[in-house]
Amino acid sequence: MELTGLVEITSVDELREIVGEPLQRVADKARPGLHELDRQWLAASPFCLIATAAADGTCDVSPKGDPAGFTLALDDRTIAIPDRPGNRRADGFRNVLSNPHVGLIYFIPGRGDTLRINGRARLVRDAPFFDEMVVKGKRPALALVVEIDEVFHHCSKAFLRSALWKSETWEPDAVASRAQIAKFLERPEDSLAELERYYGPSYANGLY
């Protein structure tokens, strides 16, 4: 589709003309390692998003979730994130094999601010710290180890604008159910009843 009427930004100078310059304290807030407050955040966070890009520029953002504290701070410059059973696409992991640069955002439910970590990752199939990642008797088969380049906290404006944590704004039934999406886009050969059973209460039994 050809888009018309677009006025594109093509330089940093043009961008700065519109968004302005950050305050010096904002520009300088990135740190090269974890502070104790960052460690506390990781210990309280049950969820993060991991952004990756392959060598050819193909991008992916993958969610990772586990009981709070699932990300281990191995030292002030290194964290480790366990992998759990999923759909086996491994998009982000495949990206890391060709381009180690990753960006992570850590959430705490109910909090508008977030913790951001950028660094370089590698895949590890075993290490002594895997014993600390056991959940429900299951040891991860691999983990993502990230060497931190920078870490900083991000303000809550996006969450305030979206009212993300305000339950009165939630409308989970505003779109098709997961079973309906699977029926129309992924598994047309299966009946809706079968998919509703699959994505029903028993779906949580295969988390680990």
Side-chain angles (χ1 to χ4, degrees):
M1 177 173 113
E2 184 180 348
L3 299 177
T4 60
L6 299 181
V7 181
E8 190 176 349
I9 295 169
T10 58
S11 71
V12 174
D13 287 343
E14 283 184 276
L15 175 63
R16 285 300 175 200
E17 224 177 280
I18 294 171
V19 304
E21 296 288 344
L23 295 173
Q24 198 59 48
R25 66 173 180 271
V26 175
D28 296 340
K29 70 179 180 178
R31 294 166 278 104
L34 297 173
H35 184 277
E36 177 56 30
L37 291 173
D38 305 324
R39 288 174 174 266
Q40 291 174 17
W41 191 283
L42 293 175
S45 174
F47 181 81
C48 76
L49 296 173
I50 304 176
T52 60
D56 65 359
T58 305
C59 295
D60 178 72
V61 179
S62 294
K64 298 294 179 184
D66 245 339
F70 72 102
T71 294
L72 299 183
L74 303 181
D75 57 42
D76 290 345
R77 298 292 302 273
T78 316
I79 59 174
I81 304 160
D83 185 50
R84 305 298 181 189
N87 60 16
R88 301 187 183 94
R89 282 180 57 100
D91 300 284
F93 290 156
R94 288 188 289 113
N95 286 348
V96 165
L97 291 174
S98 63
N99 174 10
H101 296 281
V102 297
L104 304 92
I105 300 183
Y106 281 90
F107 300 76
I108 294 177
R111 287 285 295 257
D113 46 338
T114 53
L115 178 69
R116 293 174 57 172
I117 295 175
N118 297 319
R120 289 155 294 151
R122 50 194 163 134
L123 298 177
V124 177
R125 63 186 304 167
D126 199 9
F129 59 77
F130 277 38
D131 292 337
E132 300 177 53
M133 295 175 161
V134 174
V135 175
K136 295 189 176 181
K138 302 291 186 177
R139 198 171 187 265
L142 62 87
L144 191 73
V145 174
V146 179
E147 295 178 27
I148 296 170
D149 289 328
E150 60 177 8
V151 54
F152 56 95
H153 289 259
H154 194 108
C155 76
S156 60
K157 288 180 180 176
F159 288 82
L160 293 172
R161 293 184 185 114
S162 65
L164 184 66
W165 300 126
K166 291 187 176 180
S167 59
E168 63 269 25
T169 70
W170 297 352
E171 294 185 63
D173 298 323
V175 296
S177 69
R178 182 67 188 98
Q180 290 169 326
I181 291 170
K183 171 66 178 173
F184 289 107
L185 299 180
E186 301 158 11
R187 299 167 61 174
E189 71 282 1
D190 294 333
S191 72
L192 185 58
E194 289 173 326
L195 291 168
E196 285 173 341
R197 281 194 297 274
Y198 177 76
Y199 288 110
S202 62
Y203 187 72
N205 296 336
L207 296 181
Y208 296 95

